[in-house]
Amino acid sequence: MDSNIKMRADKVNFFYGSTQALKSVNINIFKNQVTALIGPSGCGKSTFIRLFNRMNELVVNTRLTGKIYIDSQDINLLCIDAVDIRRRVGMVFQKPNPFPKSIFDNIAYGLRVNGIKDKNFIEERVIQTLKKAALWDEVKCRLKESALGLSGGQQQRLCIARCLAVETEVILFDEPCASLDPISTGKIEELILELKKDYTIVIVTHNMQQAARVSDFTGFFLLGELIEFGKTSDIFTAPKDKRTEAYITGRFG
Amino acid sequence: MNYKRIKEKIYKWIFTVLAFSSLFFLVGIMIVLFKEGTPIFKDVGFFKFLFGSKWYPTYEPPDFGILPLILGSIWVTAGAIIVCVPLGVGSALYLNELAGFRQRQFLKPIIELLASIPSVVYGFFGMVIVTPFLQKTFNLPTGLTALNASLILGLMATPTVCSIAEDALSYVPRSFREASFAVGANRWQTLTRVVIPAAGSGISTAIILGMSRAIGETMTVLMVAGGAGVIPKTFLDPVRPMTSAIAAEMGEAPMGGDHYHALFAIALILFLITFVFNIIAEIISRRFRIKLGLSG
């Protein structure tokens, strides 16, 4: 397999009960690139990225067929623990979801559950990730205060920092700006471009301008199918499929 | 004024009166308790009444020290807490975190059904099953002891604790759990470090309401606690909690006499204790809802 491929989905079908949410999806996610997944609500793109950190297992009555690979390793083998996968593949959710703990503890949480006890190390890492997430200047004097007192945009950057602290290889963004104002959105986008150097990034978004701004590759989902996948510049300037063209020109969605 | 508007006004009045009637009854009960209970404080003295170690209301001269009764209540309530917290919180955790959908649909109503068993039935169960068992196991002169009352009260308070604790756990947003799993926490870590702390004050509320249920329970303790109005030394001593003293003696106390007033004073103290418990529970649960960003 191409060494530039970080993750791969191979003929993936996914079911909620008897409803099929994903239909034979094949995709390659390239290393240190930003891949955007676009498509109308309910097309299965969020369901799809949640397969890469096995988050859908927490939902009852679901079924997966096909294979998901990370570094050419099948992640759904019985001998592989979902916990180990999630330590490698972080996730930032649609709604900022900090814990009702202090700002410091929110970030330290991921380190602590991974068995790190060294206080100095934790402190250093917290500061370092807050800086990386462009949040340090805003919170450096209130690390012991509750994270719920932050604004929505700050909370979302905190969630990104929480994810960075565990040093994952991949970050999945599930509509990270859906509940944010344009200025916060801009900051998150800058951050994503910055993080690309060290991480492989997949971002689900409703906002096509956002996909065009941040991503290198784009996949268009419709009714559970991956209609088209390619370089973002190609998808947005010369889509091959009529449906992709209709969607990105705003004729439906 | 037309007919329709009058009708509407009448309805409004009826419901206003109904809504305020509980306030009226609460105030009424408080007034009666104060009026009938306070005379004993004048005769005996407030502190002597509260901390006197002898309760011999029918002796000549009588002793009105309710410390043995208060301690009796405290012992059985403390014992009940030891029983109902692990049972109630444990089953709530199981129901919320581990049980599948079907198991929960099946188990939750059953646990709640425990609450609908009349207390006299619990008392009966305690007398017939638990009493001989304790008597034999610990080789006691009687099985009617603080331990017996604790076990039965604990069982009775379990559904209260379980149901409120389960509500508290289910209010913890799914996003907290997802966030925890997403950074590589396992189930146990998520439960102990995120879910339980987030639901902590809700669970404390559950425990306090369970306590208030246990301390106010009468019929069961009357039947199984043994009824000895002396200061208990171990859980294997018979005790006479405040509620059972009132229930057992009110019928014999001459109306308007010292004994009668003393029983009212006990009721007053009991009322104040449960009142405080409930207020604490309310304050904690309000904080809990604010903390989780639910409506205050």
Side-chain angles (χ1 to χ4, degrees), chain A residues 206-245:
Chain A
H206 265 125
N207 181 332
M208 276 169 293
Q209 284 79 27
Q210 183 169 62
R213 282 191 299 262
V214 300
S215 71
D216 305 296
F217 291 88
T218 296
F220 171 60
F221 275 81
L222 187 63
L223 301 172
E225 279 178 85
L226 180 63
I227 302 293
E228 191 167 347
F229 179 79
K231 281 213 154 91
T232 300
S233 49
D234 297 342
I235 295 269
F236 279 90
T237 51
K240 292 193 190 80
D241 194 287
K242 280 252 157 22
R243 293 167 290 182
T244 314
E245 191 187 350

Coordinates of all heavy atoms in Angstrom, one line a residue, chain A residues 206-245:
Chain A
H206 N -20.5 21.3 6.8 CA -21.6 21.6 6.0 C -21.3 22.8 5.1 O -22.0 23.2 4.2 CB -22.8 22.1 6.9 CG -23.7 20.9 7.1 ND1 -24.0 20.5 8.4 CD2 -24.3 20.1 6.3 CE1 -24.8 19.5 8.3 NE2 -25.0 19.2 7.0
N207 N -20.2 23.4 5.5 CA -19.8 24.7 4.9 C -18.8 24.5 3.8 O -17.7 24.1 4.0 CB -19.2 25.6 6.0 CG -18.8 26.9 5.6 OD1 -18.5 27.1 4.4 ND2 -18.8 27.9 6.5
M208 N -19.3 24.7 2.5 CA -18.4 24.4 1.4 C -17.3 25.3 1.3 O -16.2 24.9 0.8 CB -19.3 24.3 0.1 CG -19.9 23.0 0.0 SD -21.1 22.9 -1.3 CE -22.4 24.0 -0.6
Q209 N -17.5 26.6 1.6 CA -16.3 27.5 1.6 C -15.2 27.0 2.6 O -14.1 27.1 2.3 CB -16.8 28.9 2.0 CG -17.5 29.7 1.0 CD -19.0 29.2 0.9 OE1 -19.5 28.8 1.9 NE2 -19.6 29.3 -0.3
Q210 N -15.7 26.5 3.7 CA -14.8 26.0 4.7 C -14.0 24.8 4.1 O -12.7 24.8 4.2 CB -15.5 25.5 5.9 CG -14.5 25.0 7.0 CD -15.3 24.8 8.3 OE1 -16.2 24.0 8.4 NE2 -14.9 25.6 9.3
A211 N -14.7 23.9 3.4 CA -14.0 22.8 2.8 C -13.0 23.3 1.8 O -11.8 22.8 1.8 CB -15.0 21.8 2.1
A212 N -13.4 24.3 1.0 CA -12.5 24.8 0.0 C -11.3 25.5 0.6 O -10.2 25.4 0.1 CB -13.2 25.8 -0.9
R213 N -11.5 26.2 1.7 CA -10.4 26.9 2.4 C -9.4 26.0 3.0 O -8.2 26.2 3.0 CB -11.0 27.8 3.5 CG -11.6 29.1 2.9 CD -11.8 30.1 4.1 NE -12.7 29.6 5.0 CZ -14.0 29.9 5.1 NH1 -14.6 30.7 4.2 NH2 -14.8 29.4 6.0
V214 N -9.9 25.0 3.7 CA -8.9 24.2 4.6 C -8.4 22.9 4.0 O -7.4 22.4 4.4 CB -9.4 23.9 6.0 CG1 -9.8 25.2 6.7 CG2 -10.6 23.0 5.9
S215 N -9.1 22.3 3.0 CA -8.8 20.9 2.7 C -7.9 20.8 1.4 O -7.9 21.6 0.6 CB -10.1 20.1 2.5 OG -10.7 20.5 1.3
D216 N -7.3 19.6 1.4 CA -6.5 19.3 0.2 C -7.3 18.3 -0.6 O -7.2 18.3 -1.9 CB -5.2 18.6 0.7 CG -4.4 19.5 1.6 OD1 -4.0 20.5 1.2 OD2 -4.3 19.1 2.8
F217 N -8.1 17.4 0.1 CA -8.9 16.5 -0.7 C -10.3 16.7 -0.2 O -10.6 17.1 1.0 CB -8.5 15.0 -0.4 CG -7.1 14.7 -1.0 CD1 -6.0 15.0 -0.3 CD2 -7.1 14.2 -2.3 CE1 -4.7 14.7 -0.9 CE2 -5.8 13.9 -2.9 CZ -4.7 14.2 -2.2
T218 N -11.3 16.4 -1.1 CA -12.7 16.5 -0.7 C -13.4 15.3 -1.2 O -13.2 14.7 -2.3 CB -13.3 17.7 -1.3 OG1 -12.7 18.9 -0.8 CG2 -14.8 17.8 -1.0
G219 N -14.3 14.8 -0.3 CA -15.2 13.7 -0.6 C -16.7 14.2 -0.5 O -17.0 14.9 0.4
F220 N -17.5 13.9 -1.5 CA -18.9 14.3 -1.5 C -19.8 13.1 -1.2 O -19.8 12.1 -1.9 CB -19.2 15.0 -2.8 CG -20.7 15.2 -2.9 CD1 -21.4 16.1 -2.0 CD2 -21.5 14.7 -4.0 CE1 -22.7 16.3 -2.1 CE2 -22.8 14.9 -4.1 CZ -23.5 15.7 -3.1
F221 N -20.5 13.2 -0.1 CA -21.4 12.1 0.3 C -22.9 12.4 -0.1 O -23.3 13.6 0.1 CB -21.4 11.8 1.8 CG -20.3 10.9 2.2 CD1 -19.0 11.4 2.4 CD2 -20.5 9.6 2.5 CE1 -18.0 10.6 2.8 CE2 -19.5 8.7 2.9 CZ -18.2 9.3 3.1
L222 N -23.6 11.4 -0.5 CA -25.0 11.6 -0.7 C -25.8 10.3 -0.4 O -25.4 9.3 -1.0 CB -25.3 12.1 -2.2 CG -26.7 12.5 -2.6 CD1 -27.1 13.7 -1.8 CD2 -26.8 12.8 -4.1
L223 N -26.7 10.4 0.5 CA -27.5 9.2 0.8 C -26.7 8.0 1.1 O -27.0 6.9 0.7 CB -28.5 8.9 -0.3 CG -29.5 10.0 -0.6 CD1 -30.3 9.7 -1.9 CD2 -30.4 10.3 0.6
G224 N -25.6 8.2 1.9 CA -24.8 7.1 2.3 C -23.8 6.6 1.3 O -23.0 5.7 1.6
E225 N -23.7 7.3 0.1 CA -22.7 6.9 -0.8 C -21.6 7.9 -1.0 O -22.0 9.1 -0.9 CB -23.3 6.6 -2.2 CG -24.0 5.3 -2.3 CD -24.7 5.2 -3.7 OE1 -24.0 4.8 -4.6 OE2 -25.9 5.5 -3.8
L226 N -20.4 7.5 -1.2 CA -19.4 8.5 -1.6 C -19.5 8.7 -3.1 O -19.1 7.8 -3.9 CB -18.0 7.9 -1.2 CG -16.8 8.9 -1.5 CD1 -16.9 10.2 -0.7 CD2 -15.5 8.2 -1.2
I227 N -20.0 9.8 -3.5 CA -20.3 10.1 -4.9 C -19.0 10.4 -5.6 O -18.7 9.9 -6.7 CB -21.3 11.3 -5.1 CG1 -22.6 11.0 -4.3 CG2 -21.5 11.6 -6.5 CD1 -23.4 9.8 -4.9
E228 N -18.2 11.3 -5.0 CA -17.0 11.7 -5.7 C -15.9 12.0 -4.7 O -16.2 12.5 -3.6 CB -17.3 12.9 -6.6 CG -16.2 13.3 -7.5 CD -16.6 14.3 -8.6 OE1 -17.8 14.5 -8.7 OE2 -15.7 14.8 -9.2
F229 N -14.7 11.7 -5.0 CA -13.6 12.0 -4.2 C -12.4 12.4 -5.0 O -12.1 11.8 -6.1 CB -13.2 10.7 -3.3 CG -12.0 11.0 -2.4 CD1 -12.2 11.6 -1.2 CD2 -10.8 10.5 -2.8 CE1 -11.2 11.9 -0.4 CE2 -9.7 10.8 -1.9 CZ -9.9 11.5 -0.7
G230 N -11.7 13.5 -4.6 CA -10.6 13.9 -5.3 C -9.9 15.1 -4.7 O -10.3 15.5 -3.6
K231 N -9.0 15.7 -5.4 CA -8.3 16.9 -5.0 C -9.4 18.0 -4.8 O -10.2 18.2 -5.7 CB -7.3 17.4 -6.0 CG -6.0 16.6 -5.9 CD -4.8 17.5 -6.3 CE -3.5 17.1 -5.6 NZ -2.7 16.2 -6.4
T232 N -9.3 18.8 -3.8 CA -10.3 19.8 -3.5 C -10.4 20.7 -4.7 O -11.5 21.1 -5.1 CB -9.9 20.6 -2.2 OG1 -9.9 19.6 -1.2 CG2 -10.9 21.7 -1.9
S233 N -9.3 21.1 -5.2 CA -9.3 22.1 -6.4 C -10.1 21.5 -7.5 O -10.8 22.2 -8.2 CB -7.9 22.4 -6.8 OG -7.1 21.2 -6.9
D234 N -9.9 20.2 -7.8 CA -10.7 19.6 -8.9 C -12.2 19.5 -8.6 O -13.0 19.8 -9.5 CB -10.2 18.1 -9.1 CG -8.7 18.1 -9.6 OD1 -8.3 19.2 -10.0 OD2 -8.0 17.1 -9.5
I235 N -12.5 19.1 -7.4 CA -13.9 18.9 -7.0 C -14.6 20.2 -7.1 O -15.8 20.3 -7.6 CB -14.0 18.4 -5.6 CG1 -13.4 17.0 -5.4 CG2 -15.5 18.4 -5.1 CD1 -14.4 15.8 -5.7
F236 N -14.0 21.3 -6.7 CA -14.7 22.6 -6.7 C -14.7 23.3 -8.1 O -15.5 24.2 -8.3 CB -14.1 23.5 -5.6 CG -14.7 23.1 -4.3 CD1 -14.1 22.2 -3.4 CD2 -15.9 23.7 -3.9 CE1 -14.7 21.9 -2.2 CE2 -16.5 23.4 -2.6 CZ -15.9 22.5 -1.8
T237 N -13.7 22.9 -8.9 CA -13.7 23.6 -10.2 C -14.2 22.8 -11.3 O -14.9 23.3 -12.2 CB -12.2 24.1 -10.6 OG1 -11.4 22.9 -10.4 CG2 -11.7 25.2 -9.7
A238 N -13.9 21.5 -11.2 CA -14.4 20.6 -12.3 C -14.9 19.3 -11.8 O -14.3 18.2 -12.0 CB -13.2 20.3 -13.3
P239 N -16.1 19.3 -11.1 CA -16.6 18.1 -10.6 C -17.0 17.1 -11.8 O -17.5 17.6 -12.8 CB -17.8 18.5 -9.8 CG -18.2 19.9 -10.3 CD -16.9 20.5 -10.8
K240 N -16.8 15.8 -11.6 CA -17.1 14.9 -12.7 C -18.5 14.5 -12.6 O -19.1 14.2 -13.6 CB -16.2 13.7 -12.5 CG -14.7 14.0 -12.8 CD -14.0 12.6 -12.9 CE -12.5 12.9 -12.9 NZ -11.9 13.1 -11.6
D241 N -19.1 14.4 -11.4 CA -20.5 13.9 -11.3 C -21.4 15.1 -11.3 O -21.2 16.1 -10.6 CB -20.6 13.1 -10.0 CG -21.9 12.3 -9.9 OD1 -23.0 12.9 -9.8 OD2 -21.8 11.1 -10.1
K242 N -22.6 14.9 -11.9 CA -23.6 16.0 -12.0 C -24.1 16.3 -10.6 O -24.4 17.5 -10.3 CB -24.8 15.4 -12.8 CG -24.6 15.5 -14.3 CD -25.5 16.6 -14.9 CE -25.0 17.2 -16.2 NZ -24.2 16.5 -17.0
R243 N -24.2 15.3 -9.7 CA -24.8 15.6 -8.4 C -23.8 16.4 -7.6 O -24.2 17.3 -6.8 CB -25.1 14.2 -7.7 CG -26.3 13.5 -8.3 CD -26.3 12.1 -7.8 NE -25.2 11.3 -8.3 CZ -25.0 10.0 -8.0 NH1 -25.9 9.3 -7.3 NH2 -24.0 9.3 -8.5
T244 N -22.5 16.1 -7.7 CA -21.6 16.9 -7.0 C -21.6 18.4 -7.4 O -21.7 19.3 -6.6 CB -20.1 16.4 -7.3 OG1 -20.1 15.0 -7.2 CG2 -19.1 17.0 -6.3
E245 N -21.7 18.6 -8.7 CA -21.8 19.9 -9.3 C -23.1 20.6 -8.7 O -23.0 21.8 -8.3 CB -21.8 19.8 -10.8 CG -21.7 21.2 -11.4 CD -21.9 21.2 -12.9 OE1 -21.9 20.1 -13.5 OE2 -21.9 22.3 -13.5

